[in-house]
Amino acid sequence: MSNIDPIKLAGAKAKGKRPYFMDNPDVERLTNIVLVLTQELAVTRERMDTIERLLERGEPVTKAAIESFRASRTEADERGLWTQEYLARVFRIIQQEGEAIETGDEAESEEVADELAERA
Amino acid sequence: MADTQYTQERKPQYEGPPDYRVAGQHGMYPNVSHDESARFNFLAQMNRHLSTQVMPFIGKAYEARIEPERIKTEGKPFASRHEVRKALAKDPIWQWWSALRRATMESRQQAGRWVVLRQADELNTKAADLTNSDPRLLLDSKLPLPRGVEAIDHHCMPGSYHTELVEGDITGPANYDIGLFATTGGMLGLYNDGGGKAVAEWVRKNLGEDFKPKRILDIGCGLGHNVLPLAEAFPEAEVIGIDVGAPMLRYGLARAKSMGIENVKFIQGDAADLSSFDDESFDWVQSTMFLHETSYKTMPHIFSESFRVLKNDGIVLHVEQPQYDSSMSLFEQAMRDWDAFYNNEPFWTKMHEVDLDDWMIRAGFKQDELIHGGVAAIVDKDVFPDAADDDSEDFGRKAAWHVVGARKSA
Ligand SMILES: C[S@@+](CC[C@H](N)C(=O)[O-])C[C@H]1O[C@@H](n2cnc3c(N)ncnc32)[C@H](O)[C@@H]1O
């Protein structure tokens, strides 16, 4: 047996200085953590989905049954679609920032409030 | 039909990666558990989300604010892709996309490494059993690593193509193999071999049935994803893959044998020095997604050596993402350069700007011997997404490539 420690080595750093993209690297570090949490929730969700589908098929829900589960094409498509919707939800703020690029400058609510409060 | 109705039939049609579990299970494939498969599913979707839902906003930001801002402050448009990239790097939407793209790549590496490292002993034993004392694996532990491979771990893959954690370790290539699905969203097909399949078909179509190669050399063959389709398409041929990374070659032979493909040899060697091969001894010299991982210094040697070992009437083909030429916008060039600067592919940028025709001619080919073409991954379309039909763009990562080559006249 070798002494490869998979937990430690799995996340090893690749050779080469890591670039950071955001103005504040701490925000980016946190983003990395959030992304992995997002990932792990998707993993848990897929497991739940597998369990539900085994139950629906009337099969015993054992660890072995979960491991050997194969989704049909339709089932896989449903799961894929779920993940796409999930990602769209998680990254809503980026979508909205993106949409704002095209809209350009917009009035803030306070400006509109002032405008609406103007007397005739 | 009224737009307000959202019936079962109007449920959005699914477009995207297939379930990870459809990936081809050859005999060297590690055991990938339910949750590990689910993790790859997520990562494939995440990459797709970034390329289809986030990246388009960068083009919009470029048009709406980045380019206008440049004109306003400098009074002239961008002059180079590097100027464009530096300006993009200040824009928040590019920053978010980049941060998430890099994070997804790192998470993909961790996901794959966990799978292979937790079963390292089994995998290494399996590879040893399949390859020990097989003459089709020829390793050279004294071979120096090219600087490009030694300096940095390509695409954030810890240990790159060459590191062995223990003697005979093949966990590096095993990780590369099982995670490619996540990076490409399944676009490369059952055995990640859609590129090689497309090259084989392209050769059949364009060179005709008369072209019957007896010896094929694949330089920078990696673990052989795109070599095996050539060996299958030309079963009479002796196919030789060379690479500097010993683990790739060992895994490559073990994988090939487990798939029942016997006419392939894997030899450790540097493509810039093919002195162990005779002049005019191959009918076909192939490189697939290899040149971008070499260097400006070694490329002339790679080209001249390929010319030297090629028989008359033989072909050299290089398959790569498209070159940056004047028909490609600076914005697209800057986006395509992302992997060079932010995904540890340092030669990517320079390689894509050189005039490959000119380099081929300097290596000895004549202008009228040059070959140009294009290929898109060939996959089982019932299961895998079809790159030829897909109009999404993941600058630099799409499963469609250019072919630049030459046929040596007799
Ligand atoms: C991106 S991989 C491509 C692998 C393969 N052609 C494929 O299509 O899957 C590049 C490979 O080139 C190898 N390589 C880099 N420089 C080399 C050189 N000078 N000679 C031989 N192989 C080299 C690396 O070890 C790596 O396996």
Side-chain angles (χ1 to χ4, degrees):
Chain A
M1 287 293 283
S2 60
N3 347 316
I4 290 176
D5 174 353
I7 295 181
K8 184 160 169 238
L9 285 175
K13 180 189 162 300
K15 191 171 179 179
K17 186 175 176 191
R18 190 192 196 281
Y20 278 86
F21 304 95
M22 295 177 168
D23 296 337
N24 181 345
D26 274 340
V27 175
E28 188 160 342
R29 290 182 191 110
L30 194 58
T31 303
N32 272 262
I33 295 171
V34 171
L35 178 75
V36 176
L37 290 175
T38 306
Q39 165 186 293
E40 294 308 306
L41 180 57
V43 170
T44 307
R45 164 72 201 209
E46 187 166 313
R47 195 171 181 93
M48 276 177 48
D49 183 272
T50 295
I51 293 171
E52 282 172 16
R53 288 177 198 273
L54 284 171
L55 287 168
E56 254 173 14
R57 290 181 192 177
E59 286 174 28
V61 180
T62 59
K63 276 188 189 167
I66 293 171
E67 287 305 323
S68 60
F69 176 81
R70 293 289 173 272
S72 70
R73 173 65 187 259
T74 317
E75 289 172 328
D77 285 4
E78 282 170 11
R79 284 149 65 119
L81 205 55
W82 182 87
T83 310
Q84 292 178 348
E85 185 224 343
Y86 167 71
L87 285 172
R89 200 153 353 105
V90 171
F91 294 112
R92 169 189 43 76
I93 190 65
I94 297 177
Q95 176 188 341
Q96 294 186 353
E97 289 290 334
E99 288 177 10
I101 296 169
E102 278 195 296
T103 331
D105 262 350
E106 288 175 292
E108 280 174 31
S109 197
E110 187 160 349
E111 291 168 53
V112 179
D114 290 345
E115 191 188 325
L116 296 182
E118 275 169 29
R119 286 166 196 266
Chain B
M1 207 196 287
D3 266 328
T4 46
Q5 269 176 9
Y6 187 75
T7 62
Q8 196 58 23
E9 296 80 65
R10 286 175 57 79
K11 223 161 100 175
Q13 179 75 34
Y14 175 70
E15 253 181 71
D19 184 6
Y20 181 81
R21 298 168 185 85
V22 301
Q25 305 282 317
H26 53 72
M28 274 309 296
Y29 217 80
N31 166 274
V32 185
S33 74
H34 177 281
D35 289 6
E36 290 160 349
S37 299
R39 201 166 283 131
F40 284 133
N41 278 336
F42 172 84
L43 288 161
Q45 295 283 1
M46 184 65 201
N47 276 313
R48 189 182 154 89
H49 181 85
L50 288 174
S51 68
T52 63
Q53 308 300 310
V54 181
M55 189 160 55
F57 290 135
I58 301 173
K60 300 218 159 99
Y62 184 70
E63 276 168 32
R65 61 192 185 206
I66 300 171
E67 205 176 23
E69 177 65 19
R70 154 80 184 202
I71 308 263
K72 208 170 96 194
T73 53
E74 304 280 323
K76 54 179 196 260
F78 289 110
S80 72
R81 66 178 187 280
H82 300 295
E83 282 185 10
V84 173
R85 179 172 54 85
K86 283 173 188 157
L88 286 173
K90 295 193 186 108
D91 194 274
I93 199 82
W94 183 92
Q95 293 176 351
W96 270 96
W97 170 72
S98 297
L100 288 168
R101 204 182 199 213
R102 172 87 187 199
T104 305
M105 179 54 90
E106 288 175 355
S107 192
R108 167 262 168 273
Q109 293 299 345
Q110 184 177 32
R113 281 171 65 81
W114 161 252
V115 172
V116 299
L117 292 173
R118 71 169 171 78
Q119 52 194 304
D121 291 337
E122 292 93 314
L123 288 172
N124 290 339
T125 307
K126 214 190 257 183
D129 289 347
L130 277 161
T131 57
N132 275 353
S133 71
D134 190 317
R136 286 170 296 181
L137 178 67
L138 221 74
L139 300 180
D140 171 7
S141 59
K142 304 236 157 44
L143 186 79
L145 277 181
R147 172 75 183 143
V149 174
E150 173 267 323
I152 202 160
D153 284 344
H154 278 112
H155 31 81
C156 303
M157 186 168 76
S160 194
Y161 304 108
H162 53 88
T163 304
E164 297 183 10
L165 296 171
V166 291
E167 207 188 310
D169 181 31
I170 50 80
T171 55
N175 165 42
Y176 181 79
D177 196 15
I178 63 172
L180 212 43
F181 175 97
T183 311
T184 59
M187 288 268 183
L188 296 177
L190 190 60
Y191 292 104
N192 288 313
D193 57 356
K197 285 206 164 113
V199 172
E201 183 169 298
W202 189 90
V203 165
R204 275 223 189 287
K205 248 196 211 140
N206 288 273
L207 281 88
E209 298 297 325
D210 297 344
F211 182 70
K212 290 201 181 72
K214 287 197 209 56
R215 277 185 104 210
I216 303 173
L217 178 67
D218 188 298
I219 52 177
C221 65
L223 64 85
H225 282 138
N226 297 311
V227 182
L228 301 195
L230 308 187
E232 280 182 299
F234 299 95
E236 313 287 285
E238 177 193 23
V239 182
I240 298 178
I242 70 158
D243 200 282
V244 290
M248 299 298 269
L249 301 162
R250 185 178 282 113
Y251 183 84
L253 181 65
R255 175 178 175 272
K257 285 172 76 172
S258 82
M259 291 168 74
I261 297 167
E262 304 286 345
N263 56 327
V264 201
K265 272 186 195 158
F266 288 88
I267 301 180
Q268 192 170 12
D270 190 323
D273 173 13
L274 301 176
S275 52
S276 60
F277 301 108
D278 291 339
D279 291 1
E280 302 185 8
S281 56
F282 288 96
D283 304 284
W284 179 355
V285 178
Q286 174 67 32
S287 91
T288 307
M289 287 158 263
F290 162 62
L291 294 177
H292 71 265
E293 291 189 0
T294 65
S295 70
Y296 209 67
K297 273 193 200 132
T298 52
M299 245 175 77
H301 300 289
I302 292 168
F303 276 50
S304 60
E305 280 291 83
S306 304
F307 179 82
R308 181 184 64 76
V309 300
L310 194 66
K311 288 187 206 166
N312 284 333
D313 219 26
I315 53 167
V316 170
L317 297 180
H318 299 292
V319 170
E320 272 289 352
Q321 289 282 324
Q323 291 299 100
Y324 304 157
D325 59 21
S326 53
S327 71
M328 190 187 280
S329 72
L330 292 182
F331 171 73
E332 178 167 352
Q333 294 180 24
M335 291 296 284
R336 286 180 170 276
D337 258 1
W338 192 90
D339 283 282
F341 297 98
Y342 313 115
N343 192 25
N344 291 8
E345 288 281 9
F347 187 51
W348 180 279
T349 180
K350 195 72 188 168
M351 188 265 137
H352 281 289
E353 81 177 25
V354 307
D355 179 348
L356 288 176
D357 285 7
D358 190 45
W359 286 56
M360 296 291 284
I361 286 169
R362 275 191 275 155
F365 292 104
K366 299 186 207 68
Q367 183 75 42
D368 63 0
E369 293 174 346
L370 300 185
I371 296 174
H372 299 102
V375 289
I378 294 180
V379 301
D380 174 357
K381 290 185 200 174
D382 290 339
V383 184
F384 295 92
D386 182 16
D389 268 3
D390 182 280
D391 46 16
S392 71
E393 181 52 86
D394 195 7
F395 297 114
R397 295 194 188 168
K398 196 179 167 129
W401 307 270
H402 281 196
V403 180
V404 178
R407 185 162 193 178
K408 210 178 196 178
S409 48

